[in-house]
Amino acid sequence: MRRSASDGLQWVAAAVLFYVVWDQLLAPSVSRAFIVPPWRVWSRIEEWSANGVLVSLILTTLSEALVGLAIGVALGVLAALVVGLSPRLVGDVIEPAVTAFYAAPKFVLIPLLFVWMSNGFLPRTLFVVVAVFAVIFVNTVTGLRTVDPDCVRMLQLLGATRAQIATKLLLPHAMGYVVTALTFAAPFALTIAIGAEILFGTRDGLGGMLFNASQRFDAASVLAALLVATILSAVLIVLSARFGALVQPARQSPE
Amino acid sequence: MSADSSATQPAFARSWLPALVRMTSYRLLVVGVRLVLLGGILVTWHSVPESVVPSYAVGRPVEVASALVGLLVSGSLLTALLATSTSVALGMLVGAPAGIALALAMSIRPIRWLLHPLVTIAYAIPKVGLISLFIMWLGINQQSHIALVTSFVMFVYFYGTRQALAEIDQDKMAALILMDAKPLTITRLLLLPASAPHLYAATRIALPLGFGASVFAELRVPASKGLGTLLSNFANSLDGAGALAVMIVVALVAYSLDVGLGARLRQHTESIGAGVEL
């Protein structure tokens, strides 16, 4: 994306506006516990980067998110292929359960996970796996099931075997849906990881810092953690979009 | 069936009756397999040894069933549903107009130029983290739940309205302006009818999202009497059966929202970039 001069000006102007509103209007008038001036947040971040806390926070959350993402995507695609390429009965039988699981807020599993496995990297990453699995599975199965039946019949008339139909038609079609899902899966995994850290009541990771600091009413730390998390999320969004554009440059709608 | 009888049957009966029979027996088969599968799962669950799956984590089927019945009978389920619904409703009441107003404001070029980067960054904020902010600003009560629902819902309506405005028929707009229509008339005749489907689509996405946000907020801040609070209480007292009962209720509510809104949530892939699902 080429940044023209006016693009850069736009971002600078917006940043100035945000800073001015924050520093001049909000911070002085509201009490210390609610909003702190920008310099306090900045000095908190500097403090964290000085004593290595920043790196540890980012690494913990990011690794939970990315490991969970990788495993979740792998399992999701695998399970979707098994279900999608099986006889239609399999998909129809499990469909309400899958829809209910997909629609339900996954965070309700966390108290269970906490009682079962206590706190730690493993249960949190497991939770990310489960959440990502749900998304990828449903999207891929949809991809496999929305293939144009006329295309399938045409291939059958041309004498294609089931394997050939699968590899030549079903899989490429489904991959479109998988890539679409992947472009929002990474930021999604990050959000899930942070949410899990908050609900587990841990001290690790950005979510842990958010949880801990909000307990202590430490507004500077909360805002600092939020800022770092936003930057991380923005980076993931941009990278995912680039990845999506790379893998499917001429993006027609997955038809 | 002899050739005679098929010759005497009317043509349409010959075509749709076998299909109907096939359809019905397929549906019965699907239901039958589901029942068998469910039965198998329940039996396995019931007989799993304590060492593998302790019953304080997840109760046994009978316990979960009785917990569910207990919740229904004692009315705490209804209370929880009402409390969570209130949070969601109030959150949407604030968030929807806010998102729509923001989108309308952003249709004015200078405002859009100024606010566009801020809105983009705000979209990137992991909104679950905002609960920590709301705890500090609004306290350990239902207001922070409502605030979280608002932040999720606002973006859905913002992007929906943006898309609605972008797809307005420019010819009709030009015609109305040429005929010297007042802004209110343009809104009434063109903008509102054109944006109705987008707003409905936004609601389909926002309602389950808001429900999830409310449950998350209640899990973090067990203040109101909502479903998340109920779950949190059961989990803290190591009542696995009760916890699972509440989880089943949450899943059922989410499923009925999905089905009721006709919002096959997988359409989210083609949606208006409304952000993260829960």
Side-chain angles (χ1 to χ4, degrees):
Chain A
M1 219 177 17
R2 259 169 315 160
R3 284 236 180 280
S4 63
S6 92
D7 256 6
L9 188 61
Q10 184 182 26
W11 281 79
V12 168
V16 167
L17 174 68
F18 182 65
Y19 182 85
V20 163
V21 167
W22 183 0
D23 194 38
Q24 298 304 321
L25 265 66
L26 294 177
S29 57
V30 190
S31 103
R32 182 75 76 79
F34 285 12
I35 300 186
V36 295
W39 64 265
R40 273 198 195 280
V41 175
W42 182 247
S43 71
R44 185 58 48 97
I45 296 185
E46 279 183 331
E47 184 188 314
W48 285 348
S49 57
N51 58 19
V53 168
L54 186 66
V55 171
S56 134
L57 290 178
I58 295 180
L59 270 182
T60 313
T61 308
L62 206 56
S63 50
E64 282 165 16
L66 293 179
V67 169
L69 179 70
I71 301 179
V73 167
L75 289 178
V77 172
L78 212 64
L81 287 178
V82 166
V83 169
L85 298 176
S86 306
R88 204 186 155 81
L89 182 66
V90 176
D92 285 344
V93 162
I94 62 173
E95 195 242 331
V98 168
T99 311
F101 176 61
Y102 181 57
K106 322 281 182 305
F107 288 109
V108 290
L109 290 171
I110 291 190
L112 184 80
L113 221 53
F114 182 73
V115 169
W116 214 338
M117 295 165 111
S118 176
N119 205 343
F121 182 83
L122 185 63
R124 296 196 297 262
T125 312
L126 191 63
F127 179 70
V128 177
V129 169
V130 168
V132 170
F133 173 85
V135 170
I136 299 289
F137 178 79
V138 169
N139 282 322
T140 314
V141 167
T142 308
L144 286 170
R145 289 187 141 210
T146 55
V147 176
D148 185 358
D150 291 336
C151 282
V152 178
R153 273 186 225 116
M154 191 167 66
L155 284 183
Q156 284 172 335
L157 282 173
L158 291 170
T161 63
R162 268 187 68 88
Q164 282 172 324
I165 296 180
T167 48
K168 298 279 188 224
L169 179 64
L170 297 181
L171 289 186
H173 180 86
M175 280 307 118
Y177 280 74
V178 175
V179 170
T180 312
L182 281 178
T183 53
F184 66 80
F188 172 71
L190 183 70
T191 305
I192 294 290
I194 294 179
E197 286 166 356
I198 293 179
L199 287 185
F200 268 92
T202 177
R203 296 179 77 111
D204 319 315
L206 288 166
M209 174 59 73
L210 281 168
F211 170 75
N212 199 279
S214 64
Q215 300 279 71
R216 294 179 279 124
F217 278 74
D218 179 0
S221 294
V222 170
L223 288 172
L226 219 48
L227 185 63
V228 173
T230 306
I231 296 176
L232 213 54
S233 171
V235 166
L236 282 180
I237 290 177
V238 168
L239 286 180
S240 304
R242 293 276 167 89
F243 168 75
L246 206 72
V247 174
Q248 286 200 316
R251 275 275 295 266
Q252 301 118 9
S253 60
E255 224 68 44
Chain B
M1 244 192 302
S2 65
D4 258 329
S5 65
S6 60
T8 52
Q9 268 179 343
F12 69 88
R14 258 180 287 145
S15 59
W16 63 253
L17 195 59
L20 185 65
V21 169
R22 261 202 312 274
M23 244 171 45
T24 321
S25 35
Y26 181 69
R27 293 224 96 81
L28 285 175
L29 181 65
V30 168
V31 172
V33 174
R34 279 184 197 153
L35 287 176
V36 168
L37 214 57
L38 192 62
I41 293 175
L42 288 177
V43 165
T44 324
W45 176 12
H46 185 79
S47 10
V48 154
E50 279 287 319
S51 50
V52 175
V53 178
S55 57
Y56 61 78
V58 185
R60 296 288 173 248
V62 181
E63 294 167 8
V64 174
S66 71
L68 208 49
V69 170
L71 280 173
L72 263 166
V73 165
S74 66
S76 23
L77 196 61
L78 194 61
T79 318
L81 280 171
L82 277 177
T84 306
S85 310
T86 315
S87 301
V88 174
L90 288 176
M92 287 191 67
L93 226 56
V94 174
I100 295 174
L102 189 63
L104 286 174
M106 298 263 289
S107 60
I108 302 173
R109 181 161 296 199
I111 298 187
R112 178 166 68 240
W113 189 85
L114 205 56
L115 290 186
H116 173 77
L118 295 179
V119 171
T120 314
I121 296 288
Y123 172 70
I125 300 179
K127 299 186 204 65
V128 289
L130 290 174
I131 188 72
S132 308
L133 220 53
F134 295 145
I135 291 173
M136 289 192 313
W137 291 351
L138 299 169
I140 314 271
N141 54 29
Q142 194 168 9
Q143 289 171 24
S144 39
H145 303 166
I146 298 174
L148 194 68
V149 173
T150 306
S151 15
F152 272 90
V153 159
M154 192 169 77
F155 280 97
V156 178
Y157 283 97
F158 172 75
Y159 283 107
T161 313
R162 268 267 284 258
Q163 189 155 354
L165 291 175
E167 290 178 10
I168 297 251
D169 188 348
Q170 291 304 322
D171 293 336
K172 292 205 182 108
M173 183 66 135
L176 282 174
I177 294 177
L178 282 174
M179 286 190 271
D180 222 5
K182 295 199 273 292
L184 209 59
T185 317
I186 297 182
T187 310
R188 187 169 55 88
L189 289 180
L190 184 61
L191 296 183
L192 285 183
S195 51
H198 289 89
L199 290 181
Y200 179 63
T203 310
R204 281 176 170 186
I205 296 176
L207 205 49
L209 201 62
F211 176 67
S214 180
V215 171
F216 173 81
E218 286 160 7
L219 282 171
R220 167 67 183 91
V221 186
S224 74
K225 293 202 172 49
L227 288 167
T229 316
L230 203 59
L231 175 61
S232 184
N233 291 338
F234 277 127
N236 286 337
S237 40
L238 289 186
D239 185 354
L244 194 58
V246 178
M247 284 199 268
I248 292 175
V249 171
V250 169
L252 282 177
V253 172
Y255 181 69
S256 13
L257 277 180
D258 177 53
V259 168
L261 294 172
R264 289 320 185 164
L265 279 176
R266 48 188 182 246
Q267 283 166 7
H268 194 72
T269 51
E270 295 132 28
S271 83
I272 49 187
V276 172
E277 317 137 19
L278 283 179

